[in-house]
Amino acid sequence: MRLFAALPLPAAAQHRIAEYCRTIAPSFALARPSWVPEENLHLTLHFFGELDQKNAATLQNLLEAEAINCPSLTLRIGNLSVLPSLRAPRVLYLHTRIEPAAPLFSLIDRLRIIAAQIGAETDSRPWKAHLTLARLKEPWIPELSSLPAAPEISFAIDAFELMQSRLTREGAMYSCVRRYAFLTCSR
């Protein structure tokens, strides 16, 4: 199973972001973007990679204890940008601000520890909150400041999900394996 942990987006937020992508899409034609389908929009917390059934089951059990250590979060959509840099753009994304940040970063650290425990993929780079919109096949982008601003979207997140990614000819298909509710007491 190809697995990753993610913060899900409400369908209404996914729809507004997809509408924004349709608005700016003509400006990126020369970059030959591969747009993320509306239903696949999410924020990845950690990519675990390919796991066998045994390790996938162990992962699910280990994740159970992690959600209760994180309170509900508020996510705000920010400006449009690219990764890794303006000189070599490969990913078009929206900045995101997540509050409170400290418990989320603690959760990400614990996800990385769990990944190492079960022999899954790990990442030592600092985690960057970003919402991927498209992967760019050509290193070209328009002047970002000339594009319409991203919609102002803010919403609460009360869980993270363990997602499975299946690669098909049409692109990646995501499905939720298990949902982990965050601590619900007041902050």
Side-chain angles (χ1 to χ4, degrees):
M1 298 176 75
R2 192 168 187 258
L3 300 172
F4 63 94
L7 295 178
L9 274 61
Q14 288 176 317
H15 184 71
R16 287 189 62 202
I17 294 165
E19 284 180 337
Y20 175 67
C21 290
R22 286 188 283 278
T23 300
I24 63 171
S27 300
F28 287 91
L30 293 176
R32 296 181 40 236
S34 175
W35 295 95
V36 174
E38 180 175 328
E39 65 276 6
N40 283 359
L41 291 168
H42 67 277
L43 271 83
T44 300
L45 298 176
H46 187 82
F47 181 73
F48 296 100
E50 292 283 343
L51 298 178
D52 60 27
Q53 291 292 337
K54 180 182 176 204
N55 281 332
T58 300
L59 174 62
Q60 289 180 54
N61 292 332
L62 291 170
L63 292 180
E64 187 68 42
E66 297 309 321
I68 62 171
N69 293 316
C70 189
S72 294
L73 305 167
T74 299
L75 187 143
R76 288 180 177 74
I77 300 298
N79 299 328
L80 190 64
S81 192
V82 293
L83 286 171
S85 70
L86 288 171
R87 286 190 298 249
R90 289 195 308 264
V91 174
L92 180 66
Y93 76 94
L94 289 173
H95 283 277
T96 57
R97 192 172 80 218
I98 303 168
E99 296 172 345
L104 178 65
F105 282 105
S106 182
L107 172 63
I108 292 165
D109 288 343
R110 291 190 309 272
L111 294 177
R112 290 176 173 189
I113 291 167
I114 288 171
Q117 283 177 327
I118 63 171
E121 289 187 29
T122 58
D123 191 349
S124 60
R125 295 174 294 179
W127 186 79
K128 180 181 179 97
H130 69 283
L131 175 62
T132 299
L133 302 177
R135 302 214 179 276
L136 308 176
K137 296 178 185 123
E138 297 294 330
W140 180 91
I141 57 167
E143 179 60 44
L144 296 180
S145 63
S146 70
L147 298 173
E152 291 187 20
I153 301 173
S154 177
F155 51 88
I157 297 177
D158 63 356
F160 75 92
E161 296 178 348
L162 181 62
M163 304 291 293
Q164 181 174 4
S165 173
R166 290 188 179 97
L167 301 178
T168 69
R169 288 183 184 181
E170 293 78 35
M173 303 289 291
Y174 300 152
S175 59
C176 178
V177 174
R178 193 162 166 190
R179 186 173 191 276
Y180 300 91
F182 289 143
L183 182 67
T184 56
C185 67
S186 63
R187 292 184 235 170

